[in-house]
């Protein structure tokens, strides 16, 4: 769980296999419809160790989602490169080794909860491991809803299904793009506690994108703060709390101190 | 309970509407408000259900419905197949889009003489029905195949879906509501095509019945043929509406 973040001198060649995710001095420029160029991220260097949970924190439009989309092979870098598990992200997604959950639950409305969780097997052309599907539904507390359809579930339940789906193939890397961003505050806090419990059982390399300081602190091993625009990393904090974390952690003085520090870093002027 | 009340209300209001419509038809006919060519509803029904004419109407129905049905099937197949093709080979899309719009922009009645020359005149109705249905289904399917949300597409990309998997597990199911709507709206299009085609010298069918009744001033016969065609179209349209509702409930 190295705390290394910006070591430009570390040399790119040796790092490829050492990190689960290496965003290697990556920049991303979007060309808008009118031909205007928009620099979403300038030069971000981010390294995530195997089994590490990193939260990318920042205001909207700071390019944090762009970084996640680069790691998910949904975008390609304009400069620099992204290496995931020693290979190109696209190769990893083609090998069905990525798990993802978005803010929009993205469940298929025509499938039952069980079939939604089993979808990655079908997409990968593998036989569905019903035991695994059932175990994951139990893990997210929805085993009694396996035959329900997404529309019959609450927003929080849908997100739990989408997280079960992200985990079902035991991915090498889990990508969470504001998974609870559309939920109300109470449900969101509850979902964070759930996700923390689930994650502590699996310890998959995870990149979480969020704009919630508390969510980042409660869930991650390391919080990386970004500022826009163009997006760049302005601060990194190692989160000292041991796992599994109980919700009480959020009421400790240390938690509040770190939360204040992060909140300050998020202010437009960088907090100083 | 509330939903059920609403449904009952819809059905009752619908029935009242139909009853009012028929009563108005009857009243205008009985009082000759629209002249000699508007027979009362009851007269048309008596004429229509007279046992001596059963054979006549059944033969005409058989011919017209067969043409409408075959045109419907053929049009659906061609429309959906072409929509699938332009989905797989996107370069073809603008061309096929334009071609089908152009074909649809030409009134079927202008094309009918061509069909009569090219095809057997018995099949002109089927050809026009095919053309009409094809366009509806092509538009419905192509737009439906683009219905999957951006997040769903992203999900399938991250999961490493092949184009075939994406098509069968995402694009096609997401297109089903639009296709079901297309199948519904293609019903009247098929009937119009079949009957219109029969006006151009077919030897059978409701269209022929209409033309000959018109020329011979057989008003109740004319109205009966129109009634059969309208009722059949509305009935199948209604049935397709039920299927459409089921598909929407399931796939949207």
């Amino acid at each position: 769980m190295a705390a290394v973040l910006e070591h430009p001198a570390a040399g790119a060649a040796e790092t490829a296999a050492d990190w689960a995710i290496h965003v290697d001095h990556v920049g991303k420029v979007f060309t808008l419809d009118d031909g205007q160029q928009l620099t979403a991220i300038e030069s971000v260097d981010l390294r995530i160790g195997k089994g590490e949970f990193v939260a990318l924190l920042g205001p909207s439009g700071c390019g944090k989602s762009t970084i996640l989309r680069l790691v998910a092979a949904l975008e390609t870098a304009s400069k620099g490169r992204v290496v995931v598990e020693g290979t190109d992200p696209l190769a990893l997604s083609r090998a069905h080794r990525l798990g993802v959950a978005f803010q929009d639950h993205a469940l298929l409305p025509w499938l039952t909860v069980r079939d939604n969780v089993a979808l990655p097997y079908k997409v990968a052309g593998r036989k569905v491991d019903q035991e695994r599907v059932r175990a994951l539904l139990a893990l997210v507390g929805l085993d009694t809803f396996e035959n329900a359809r997404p529309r019959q579930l609450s927003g929080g339940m849908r997100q739990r299904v989408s997280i079960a789906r992200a985990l079902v193939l035991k991915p090498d890397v889990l990508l969470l793009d504001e998974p609870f961003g559309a939920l109300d505050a109470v449900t969101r806090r509850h979902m964070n506690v759930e996700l923390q419990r689930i994650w502590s059982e699996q310890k998959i390399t995870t990149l979480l994108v969020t704009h919630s300081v508390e969510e980042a602190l409660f869930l991650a091993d390391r919080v990386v703060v970004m500022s826009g625009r163009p997006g760049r990393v302005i601060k990194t904090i190692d989160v000292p709390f041991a796992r599994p974390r109980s919700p009480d952690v959020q009421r400790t003085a240390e938690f509040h101190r770190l939360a204040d520090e992060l909140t300050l870093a998020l202010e437009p002027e960088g907090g100083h | 309970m509330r939903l059920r009340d609403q449904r009952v209300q819809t059905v009752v209001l619908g029935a009242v509407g139909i009853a009012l419509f028929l009563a108005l038809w009857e009243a205008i006919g009985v009082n000759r408000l629209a002249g000699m060519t508007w027979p009362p509803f009851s007269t048309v029904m008596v004429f229509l259900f007279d046992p001596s004419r059963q054979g006549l109407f059944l033969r005409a129905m058989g011919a017209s419905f067969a043409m409408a049905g075959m045109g419907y099937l053929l049009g659906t197949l061609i429309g959906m197949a072409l929509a699938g093709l332009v989905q797989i080979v996107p370069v073809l899309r603008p061309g096929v889009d334009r071609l089908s719009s152009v074909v649809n922009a030409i009134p079927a009645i202008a094309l009918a003489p061509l069909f009569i020359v090219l095809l057997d005149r018995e099949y002109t109705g089927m050809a026009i029905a095919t053309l009409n249905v094809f366009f509806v289904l092509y538009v419905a399917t192509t737009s439906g195949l683009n219905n999957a949300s951006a997040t769903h597409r992203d999900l399938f990309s991250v999961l490493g879906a092949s184009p075939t998997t994406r098509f069968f597990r995402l694009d096609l199911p997401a297109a089903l509501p639009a296709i079901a709507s297309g199948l519904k709206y293609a019903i009247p299009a098929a009937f119009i095509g079949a009957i219109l085609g029969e006006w151009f010298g077919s030897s059978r069918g409701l269209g022929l019945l209409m033309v000959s009744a018109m020329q011979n001033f057989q008003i109740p016969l004319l109205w009966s043929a129109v009634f059969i065609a309208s009722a059949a179209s509305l009935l199948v349209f209604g049935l397709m509406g039920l299927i459409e509702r089921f598909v929407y409930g399931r796939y949207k």
Side-chain angles (χ1 to χ4, degrees):
Chain A
M1 313 302 134
V4 187
L5 179 71
E6 280 173 311
H7 280 284
E14 63 167 76
T15 57
D18 302 344
W19 303 95
I21 301 174
H22 186 188
V23 178
D24 189 0
H25 299 88
V26 163
K28 178 67 186 174
V29 179
F30 289 103
T31 306
L32 304 180
D33 287 341
D34 58 2
Q36 213 185 319
Q37 302 245 304
L38 179 85
T39 307
I41 48 177
E42 198 149 68
S43 176
V44 169
D45 194 72
L46 176 68
R47 297 162 202 204
I48 302 178
K50 287 196 165 57
E52 193 184 13
F53 192 135
V54 168
L56 265 184
L57 183 67
S60 37
C62 72
K64 56 190 193 300
S65 282
T66 304
I67 292 182
L68 183 133
R69 292 177 67 81
L70 285 162
V71 176
L74 291 170
E75 305 281 355
T76 49
S78 308
K79 64 174 193 208
R81 61 179 188 146
V82 178
V83 181
V84 186
E85 293 286 328
T87 172
D88 181 65
L90 194 60
L92 212 68
S93 88
R94 293 230 169 106
H96 319 290
R97 285 161 63 196
L98 289 176
V100 70
F102 302 99
Q103 177 170 343
D104 171 353
H105 55 80
L107 299 178
L108 298 178
W110 51 85
L111 297 181
T112 61
V113 165
R114 185 184 44 232
D115 291 342
N116 263 296
V117 175
L119 180 74
Y121 281 107
K122 303 259 174 72
V123 169
R126 293 181 205 159
K127 192 178 163 293
V128 178
D129 181 349
Q130 294 294 354
E131 270 311 302
R132 170 90 180 142
V133 171
R134 218 163 291 140
L136 270 166
L137 281 173
L139 186 69
V140 298
L142 286 173
D143 31 352
T144 53
F145 288 89
E146 58 173 359
N147 291 317
R149 284 182 194 278
R151 80 174 69 219
Q152 297 167 300
L153 305 181
S154 68
M157 288 157 111
R158 285 177 203 158
Q159 282 306 345
R160 280 190 270 169
V161 178
S162 111
I163 284 169
R165 178 179 62 191
L167 292 171
V168 78
L169 288 184
K170 298 186 180 139
D172 294 342
V173 171
L174 179 62
L175 302 170
L176 304 173
D177 191 1
E178 300 254 12
F180 310 132
L183 303 180
D184 64 88
V186 177
T187 312
R188 184 171 192 160
R189 201 163 302 153
H190 178 66
M191 292 300 297
N192 283 336
V193 174
E194 295 266 301
L195 179 60
Q196 200 284 135
R197 175 179 62 81
I198 293 165
W199 190 83
S200 298
E201 288 182 23
Q202 320 245 336
K203 297 238 168 94
I204 297 169
T205 307
T206 300
L207 177 62
L208 167 76
V209 162
T210 181
H211 56 245
S212 159
V213 168
E214 285 76 20
E215 187 168 281
L217 267 182
F218 181 65
L219 290 171
D221 297 315
R222 191 148 55 92
V223 180
V224 174
V225 185
M226 290 183 66
S227 85
R229 300 176 160 169
R232 60 207 157 79
V233 174
I234 52 169
K235 190 180 189 68
T236 300
I237 282 189
D238 286 304
V239 182
F241 311 115
R243 290 184 193 273
R245 293 172 186 165
S246 97
D248 299 337
V249 162
Q250 298 175 82
R251 285 185 283 278
T252 60
E254 179 69 352
F255 191 94
H256 288 300
R257 192 186 63 74
L258 289 172
D260 288 346
E261 199 180 325
L262 289 172
T263 308
L264 212 59
L266 281 174
E267 305 222 326
E269 296 306 307
H272 296 289
Chain B
M1 267 329 262
R2 166 152 259 170
L3 201 79
R4 192 171 178 159
D5 287 348
Q6 269 177 4
R7 198 165 289 173
V8 169
Q9 196 183 10
T10 312
V11 171
V12 169
L13 283 176
V16 170
I18 292 171
L20 275 176
F21 171 76
L22 295 179
L24 196 66
W25 177 351
E26 182 76 13
I28 293 172
V30 169
N31 299 303
R32 301 257 164 98
L33 295 178
M36 296 293 287
T37 49
W38 184 302
F41 174 65
S42 53
T43 310
V44 176
M45 286 302 111
V46 168
F47 187 90
L48 183 58
F49 288 104
D50 189 313
S52 69
R53 293 188 194 94
Q54 209 170 44
L56 173 76
F57 285 129
L58 284 179
R59 272 196 305 280
M61 279 160 73
S64 293
F65 295 171
M67 287 303 123
M70 284 197 290
Y72 186 78
L73 276 182
L74 216 57
T76 301
L77 281 178
I78 300 173
M80 288 178 63
L82 263 185
L85 180 72
V86 299
Q87 184 78 6
I88 298 164
V89 194
V91 268
L92 295 178
R93 171 102 199 238
V96 179
D97 273 2
R98 201 150 307 158
L99 177 70
S100 54
S101 310
V102 166
V103 169
N104 184 64
I106 303 169
I109 211 152
L111 289 175
L114 283 184
F115 286 130
I116 292 171
V117 181
L118 289 172
L119 299 163
D120 193 309
R121 56 179 55 208
E122 301 300 331
Y123 290 99
T124 301
M126 186 192 79
I128 298 176
T130 305
L131 219 52
N132 288 349
V133 171
F134 150 75
F135 183 70
V136 177
L137 262 297
Y138 176 75
V139 171
T141 311
T142 45
S143 79
L145 286 174
N146 290 313
N147 273 355
S149 73
T151 330
H152 279 144
R153 280 171 219 278
D154 284 351
L155 173 77
F156 272 68
S157 297
V158 178
L159 290 178
S162 69
T164 332
T165 310
R166 184 186 294 256
F167 182 80
F168 284 107
R169 296 210 178 269
L170 178 63
D171 292 336
L172 190 60
L176 287 182
I179 293 175
S181 292
L183 286 172
K184 183 175 84 169
Y185 289 110
I187 294 285
F191 276 96
I192 292 169
I195 286 164
L196 196 65
E198 286 165 355
W199 287 6
F200 293 91
S202 171
S203 64
R204 280 171 304 202
L206 293 169
L208 171 73
L209 225 52
M210 288 174 199
V211 173
S212 79
M214 231 173 348
Q215 286 163 353
N216 300 309
F217 213 68
Q218 292 169 293
I219 297 306
L221 177 63
L222 174 62
W223 282 71
S224 298
V226 172
F227 182 85
I228 292 173
S230 314
S233 178
L234 282 174
L235 188 73
V236 188
F237 187 79
L239 285 176
M240 291 307 296
L242 291 180
I243 294 173
E244 183 194 29
R245 192 185 296 175
F246 169 78
V247 173
Y248 268 76
R250 175 108 193 207
Y251 287 90
K252 220 172 167 117

